[in-house]
Amino acid sequence: MNAPAVTSLFSLLPSKGASPLSTPGTQTPGGESPVVAPVSSTPNTAQDFRAEVIEGVQEIIDELNQADDQIAGYALDHIHSTEFVLTYTPSMTVQRFLLKAAAKRKFTVIHAEPLPNHYRAENLAGNPNTGPDDDEGNSERFLTSLTAAGVAVVLVPFSAVFALMSRTSKVILDTHVVLADGSLVASAGAAAIAKAASMHRTPVVVLSGVYKLSPVYPFDVGTLIEFGDPSSIVGYDQGSLLGNIEVKNPLFDHVPADLVTLYITNLYVGFHLSFHREFGADTTFRGGHAPSYLYRIVADHYRSEDMHLMGSESE
């Protein structure tokens, strides 16, 4: 597959030290640079720059609007009849993926209830307006749409995930961001689910648009975890308890790459799996990427100057 064409906005800016009085690489036969009249800034130059920026922003908007539907297009390659699929967090991406498969498959969804963080807007630090009606949706709307499509849905508490993992065919997770080493940052609880799946040899499939890929490597995992209001776990009215313990309420988990079996993105690619015995031998997936391959996708979508903005500013 040919790598997608990538154009950095930095290419639109003049290089340092470039003179506006001459064109680089042009000389007279005698070796002397010709005398060129100063080029004044014209409205066309500004208009061209503005058009490039608008086009780039529009491409990003189009990708955001189409990514979920493109990912859902691969659902029939990954979900099969009579399977038990475990999900977590009522994500719109996962919902569309399952609804697409439900059009031609009969399967069962085991949904682990993601309380308490996904129902408490005050927990989301820095974004007090985010709540049950945000992009994550809520479990009731998520499960109602699946039930209406004919999917058998079982709602279970988070504490029952490990016990039910042996009956689960695969785990489907959404992600907040995918890091360059193939690991990911997802809602709190995702790491425990991925670890339980690993112990039961259950495949973990992560759905992610390419726009969620980050060139960052998790050298310090602690900086990736955001914490919310601990009073949603232990109320301030329990003063005697608070005096003896320290309560932390993480909103996100870091899931290592070795706990993820497959990433499904909105990029079309045929991925051949012959080393994951969970799927069986000689299995081909469209839209799937191994975690170890994500660094190449990141390299295709980020240029070096785009990945070192702070370093460029300090020079």
Short mmCIF file of all heavy atoms in Angstrom, two decimals, residues 173-204:
data_model
loop_
_atom_site.label_atom_id
_atom_site.label_comp_id
_atom_site.label_asym_id
_atom_site.label_seq_id
_atom_site.Cartn_x
_atom_site.Cartn_y
_atom_site.Cartn_z
N LEU A 173 -12.37 -2.36 22.68
CA LEU A 173 -12.18 -1.17 23.49
C LEU A 173 -12.07 0.07 22.60
O LEU A 173 -11.59 0.00 21.46
CB LEU A 173 -10.90 -1.29 24.33
CG LEU A 173 -10.85 -2.40 25.39
CD1 LEU A 173 -9.48 -2.39 26.05
CD2 LEU A 173 -11.95 -2.23 26.42
N ASP A 174 -12.49 1.18 23.16
CA ASP A 174 -12.24 2.49 22.55
C ASP A 174 -11.00 3.07 23.22
O ASP A 174 -10.54 2.56 24.26
CB ASP A 174 -13.44 3.40 22.75
CG ASP A 174 -13.33 4.68 21.95
OD1 ASP A 174 -12.62 4.69 20.93
OD2 ASP A 174 -13.93 5.70 22.35
N THR A 175 -10.45 4.13 22.67
CA THR A 175 -9.23 4.70 23.21
C THR A 175 -9.30 6.21 23.21
O THR A 175 -10.01 6.82 22.40
CB THR A 175 -8.00 4.24 22.41
OG1 THR A 175 -6.82 4.86 22.93
CG2 THR A 175 -8.14 4.61 20.95
N HIS A 176 -8.57 6.80 24.13
CA HIS A 176 -8.45 8.26 24.19
C HIS A 176 -7.33 8.73 23.28
O HIS A 176 -7.48 9.71 22.54
CB HIS A 176 -8.19 8.70 25.63
CG HIS A 176 -8.06 10.18 25.81
ND1 HIS A 176 -9.11 11.05 25.62
CD2 HIS A 176 -6.99 10.95 26.14
CE1 HIS A 176 -8.70 12.29 25.84
NE2 HIS A 176 -7.43 12.26 26.15
N VAL A 177 -6.20 8.05 23.30
CA VAL A 177 -5.07 8.34 22.43
C VAL A 177 -4.24 7.08 22.28
O VAL A 177 -4.15 6.26 23.20
CB VAL A 177 -4.21 9.51 22.99
CG1 VAL A 177 -3.62 9.13 24.35
CG2 VAL A 177 -3.10 9.91 22.03
N VAL A 178 -3.64 6.90 21.10
CA VAL A 178 -2.75 5.78 20.83
C VAL A 178 -1.34 6.32 20.70
O VAL A 178 -1.09 7.24 19.91
CB VAL A 178 -3.15 5.03 19.53
CG1 VAL A 178 -2.20 3.88 19.27
CG2 VAL A 178 -4.58 4.53 19.64
N LEU A 179 -0.42 5.77 21.46
CA LEU A 179 0.96 6.26 21.49
C LEU A 179 1.81 5.54 20.45
O LEU A 179 1.43 4.51 19.91
CB LEU A 179 1.53 6.08 22.90
CG LEU A 179 0.72 6.75 24.00
CD1 LEU A 179 1.29 6.42 25.37
CD2 LEU A 179 0.67 8.26 23.80
N ALA A 180 2.99 6.10 20.21
CA ALA A 180 3.81 5.63 19.09
C ALA A 180 4.34 4.23 19.29
O ALA A 180 4.67 3.55 18.31
CB ALA A 180 4.99 6.60 18.88
N ASP A 181 4.45 3.75 20.53
CA ASP A 181 4.97 2.41 20.76
C ASP A 181 3.90 1.34 20.71
O ASP A 181 4.18 0.16 20.97
CB ASP A 181 5.69 2.35 22.12
CG ASP A 181 4.73 2.52 23.29
OD1 ASP A 181 3.66 3.13 23.07
OD2 ASP A 181 5.05 2.04 24.39
N GLY A 182 2.66 1.72 20.38
CA GLY A 182 1.58 0.75 20.29
C GLY A 182 0.75 0.64 21.55
O GLY A 182 -0.26 -0.07 21.56
N SER A 183 1.13 1.32 22.61
CA SER A 183 0.31 1.36 23.82
C SER A 183 -0.78 2.41 23.66
O SER A 183 -0.81 3.14 22.66
CB SER A 183 1.17 1.66 25.04
OG SER A 183 1.77 2.95 24.95
N LEU A 184 -1.67 2.52 24.63
CA LEU A 184 -2.77 3.46 24.50
C LEU A 184 -3.18 4.00 25.86
O LEU A 184 -2.87 3.43 26.90
CB LEU A 184 -3.97 2.79 23.83
CG LEU A 184 -4.62 1.61 24.58
CD1 LEU A 184 -5.98 2.02 25.12
CD2 LEU A 184 -4.75 0.40 23.68
N VAL A 185 -3.87 5.12 25.83
CA VAL A 185 -4.48 5.71 27.02
C VAL A 185 -5.98 5.64 26.83
O VAL A 185 -6.52 6.16 25.85
CB VAL A 185 -4.02 7.17 27.21
CG1 VAL A 185 -4.74 7.79 28.41
CG2 VAL A 185 -2.51 7.24 27.41
N ALA A 186 -6.65 4.95 27.74
CA ALA A 186 -8.10 4.74 27.64
C ALA A 186 -8.73 5.03 29.00
O ALA A 186 -8.05 5.36 29.97
CB ALA A 186 -8.41 3.32 27.19
N SER A 187 -10.04 4.91 29.06
CA SER A 187 -10.77 5.18 30.29
C SER A 187 -10.30 4.27 31.42
O SER A 187 -9.89 3.13 31.18
CB SER A 187 -12.27 4.99 30.07
OG SER A 187 -12.76 5.89 29.09
N ALA A 188 -10.35 4.79 32.62
CA ALA A 188 -9.91 4.03 33.79
C ALA A 188 -10.67 2.70 33.86
O ALA A 188 -11.88 2.66 33.73
CB ALA A 188 -10.14 4.85 35.06
N GLY A 189 -9.93 1.64 34.06
CA GLY A 189 -10.50 0.30 34.07
C GLY A 189 -10.11 -0.51 32.85
O GLY A 189 -10.17 -1.75 32.87
N ALA A 190 -9.69 0.17 31.77
CA ALA A 190 -9.33 -0.54 30.54
C ALA A 190 -8.10 -1.41 30.74
O ALA A 190 -8.01 -2.50 30.17
CB ALA A 190 -9.09 0.46 29.41
N ALA A 191 -7.15 -0.96 31.56
CA ALA A 191 -5.94 -1.75 31.78
C ALA A 191 -6.27 -3.05 32.50
O ALA A 191 -5.72 -4.11 32.19
CB ALA A 191 -4.92 -0.94 32.58
N ALA A 192 -7.18 -2.99 33.48
CA ALA A 192 -7.57 -4.20 34.20
C ALA A 192 -8.28 -5.19 33.27
O ALA A 192 -8.06 -6.41 33.35
CB ALA A 192 -8.48 -3.84 35.38
N ILE A 193 -9.13 -4.68 32.38
CA ILE A 193 -9.82 -5.55 31.43
C ILE A 193 -8.83 -6.18 30.47
O ILE A 193 -8.90 -7.38 30.17
CB ILE A 193 -10.89 -4.74 30.67
CG1 ILE A 193 -12.02 -4.33 31.61
CG2 ILE A 193 -11.44 -5.55 29.50
CD1 ILE A 193 -13.08 -3.48 30.96
N ALA A 194 -7.88 -5.40 29.96
CA ALA A 194 -6.89 -5.94 29.03
C ALA A 194 -6.00 -6.98 29.72
O ALA A 194 -5.62 -7.98 29.11
CB ALA A 194 -6.04 -4.81 28.47
N LYS A 195 -5.69 -6.76 30.98
CA LYS A 195 -4.87 -7.73 31.71
C LYS A 195 -5.64 -9.03 31.94
O LYS A 195 -5.08 -10.12 31.78
CB LYS A 195 -4.45 -7.12 33.06
CG LYS A 195 -3.48 -7.99 33.84
CD LYS A 195 -2.16 -8.14 33.11
CE LYS A 195 -1.16 -8.92 33.94
NZ LYS A 195 0.13 -9.11 33.22
N ALA A 196 -6.92 -8.91 32.28
CA ALA A 196 -7.74 -10.11 32.45
C ALA A 196 -7.86 -10.88 31.15
O ALA A 196 -7.82 -12.12 31.12
CB ALA A 196 -9.12 -9.72 32.98
N ALA A 197 -8.02 -10.15 30.04
CA ALA A 197 -8.10 -10.80 28.73
C ALA A 197 -6.80 -11.52 28.39
O ALA A 197 -6.80 -12.62 27.83
CB ALA A 197 -8.44 -9.77 27.66
N SER A 198 -5.68 -10.90 28.75
CA SER A 198 -4.38 -11.53 28.48
C SER A 198 -4.22 -12.83 29.25
O SER A 198 -3.70 -13.83 28.73
CB SER A 198 -3.26 -10.55 28.83
OG SER A 198 -1.98 -11.15 28.67
N MET A 199 -4.69 -12.86 30.49
CA MET A 199 -4.57 -14.07 31.31
C MET A 199 -5.45 -15.20 30.78
O MET A 199 -5.13 -16.38 30.94
CB MET A 199 -4.93 -13.75 32.76
CG MET A 199 -3.98 -12.77 33.43
SD MET A 199 -4.35 -12.52 35.17
CE MET A 199 -3.99 -14.15 35.84
N HIS A 200 -6.56 -14.83 30.12
CA HIS A 200 -7.46 -15.84 29.56
C HIS A 200 -7.22 -16.06 28.06
O HIS A 200 -8.00 -16.76 27.41
CB HIS A 200 -8.92 -15.43 29.78
CG HIS A 200 -9.40 -15.59 31.19
ND1 HIS A 200 -9.20 -14.63 32.15
CD2 HIS A 200 -10.06 -16.61 31.80
CE1 HIS A 200 -9.73 -15.05 33.30
NE2 HIS A 200 -10.25 -16.24 33.12
N ARG A 201 -6.18 -15.44 27.53
CA ARG A 201 -5.86 -15.57 26.10
C ARG A 201 -7.01 -15.13 25.22
O ARG A 201 -7.33 -15.74 24.19
CB ARG A 201 -5.46 -17.02 25.75
CG ARG A 201 -4.39 -17.62 26.64
CD ARG A 201 -3.09 -16.87 26.53
NE ARG A 201 -2.53 -16.97 25.19
CZ ARG A 201 -1.43 -16.31 24.79
NH1 ARG A 201 -0.83 -15.47 25.62
NH2 ARG A 201 -0.98 -16.45 23.57
N THR A 202 -7.65 -14.05 25.63
CA THR A 202 -8.77 -13.48 24.86
C THR A 202 -8.26 -12.29 24.06
O THR A 202 -7.60 -11.40 24.61
CB THR A 202 -9.90 -13.01 25.80
OG1 THR A 202 -10.35 -14.13 26.56
CG2 THR A 202 -11.06 -12.44 25.01
N PRO A 203 -8.52 -12.22 22.76
CA PRO A 203 -8.03 -11.10 21.94
C PRO A 203 -8.62 -9.77 22.39
O PRO A 203 -9.79 -9.68 22.73
CB PRO A 203 -8.50 -11.46 20.53
CG PRO A 203 -8.85 -12.89 20.57
CD PRO A 203 -9.27 -13.21 21.96
N VAL A 204 -7.78 -8.74 22.37
CA VAL A 204 -8.20 -7.37 22.68
C VAL A 204 -8.08 -6.54 21.40
O VAL A 204 -6.98 -6.38 20.86
CB VAL A 204 -7.34 -6.76 23.79
CG1 VAL A 204 -7.73 -5.30 24.03
CG2 VAL A 204 -7.48 -7.56 25.07
#
